[in-house]
Amino acid sequence: MTETLTLDKPRSPRRPAARRSNFELYSWLFMRLSGLALVVLVLGHLFIMNIVDGGVHRIDFAFVAGRWSSPFWQFWDLLMLWLAQLHGGNGLRTIIDDYARKDTTRFWLKIMLYASMVVILVLGTLVIFTFDPTIA
Amino acid sequence: MTSTAAVLDNTANTASEIPAPDGSVTVTVKIQRFNPEVDSEPHWESYDVPALPTDRVLNLLINIKGYVDGTLSFRRSCAHGICGSDAMQINGMNRLACKVLVKDLLAKKGKPTTITVAPIKGLPVMKDLYVDMEPFFEAFRAVKPFLISYGNEPSRERIQSPADRERFDDTTKCILCACCTTSCPVYWADGSYFGPAAIVNAHRFIFDSRDEGAEERLDILNDTEGVWRCRTTFNCTDACPRGIQVTKAIQEVKRALLFKRV
């Protein structure tokens, strides 16, 4: 076959040997389990914030301070933050793997994704644990 | 032939030479054509041909090739749904052209019928409906689709109970036509994914009690491009001309990996 007949070949003919890693298995499992947990956590959160007791109109600094004085709600919000961030991040990782055509694009998109995940996780965790109800 | 002229004025190629038997109706067959020596990208061409309701789409293609345009290229071997050569996208669905009857594609009474035929997606088009199957077979070979056994060869046949045979019966039916793999959106987007057909053929040996290579194959399918890429869209199950429950087979491989049990 001559060079002029070379058509777009999106597939490479060789593939590397299996890496014997269970990472994809665990991330697949994590998506299912965190998804189930998030159904309860997020719907519960939306119910408390928007429907119960006057809903969104009663939310102010004092309301948030009151909730976060309880370790239970601290733990709820922390769990929701981490699960949602990792669940969404893992989903985006899969989408990047699917749709990025070039290895360099894939690499930089993933760097951006992981960086944004770290920023939001660190910031959120910091706020939940260092929240000071007396500054108002 | 006059293929380029036909594109320019965009008129349907008529086929007065094709014999029209009693009871035949005229249908328009719209085919995605591509000649790598002339065209820079694929284009559509329409052919008005006589068709009996009992004709298969393959008959129409053979008639077009025989009477209208001999340059039309497509694969077909047995023409009876066994060899799996003539997989193509017919009216947007991956089917074997030799198994689709015209009567199932006819428009409502009085309305004109158009049958769209395109090559299967996700594999490089070489010419017209003819694609390079090598990436597909590469994935197939990569899952080791052959009996692996260790130790001494038995002096008799390898005995298997009907119940053990039943476990992989469904996946023995695969004819490697590529209908499933080229209907998979994950495969379209990421060609290094093994694809449903390779997983089906791995399943056929993983769950075979006579085979001892299950662990090797499970390791291969546990990797980045393995079964965990599957999004259970069921396109493969819908496309399979042999009625294999492809998505179910993929799920069984996932379960074997998850619970470390074949």
Side-chain angles (χ1 to χ4, degrees), chain A residues 38-57:
Chain A
L38 281 167
V39 167
V40 177
L41 291 171
V42 173
L43 288 183
H45 177 82
L46 288 173
F47 184 69
I48 293 161
M49 289 301 182
N50 296 320
I51 294 169
V52 171
D53 229 6
V56 73
H57 301 293

Side-chain angles (χ1 to χ4, degrees), chain B residues 184-200:
Chain B
C184 173
V186 181
Y187 189 76
W188 294 337
D190 171 21
S192 40
Y193 171 47
F194 279 98
I199 299 172
V200 159

Side-chain angles (χ1 to χ4, degrees), chain B residues 56-96:
Chain B
R56 301 158 303 168
V57 172
L58 183 65
N59 295 108
L60 308 185
L61 294 176
I62 290 172
N63 277 347
I64 292 169
K65 187 175 175 68
Y67 291 94
V68 187
D69 184 351
T71 66
L72 177 67
S73 302
F74 54 90
R75 282 197 183 92
R76 78 111 172 84
S77 297
C78 78
H80 287 79
I82 302 296
C83 72
S85 297
D86 59 350
M88 47 192 80
Q89 216 177 49
I90 298 167
N91 282 355
M93 284 179 293
N94 283 1
R95 295 287 184 266
L96 298 181

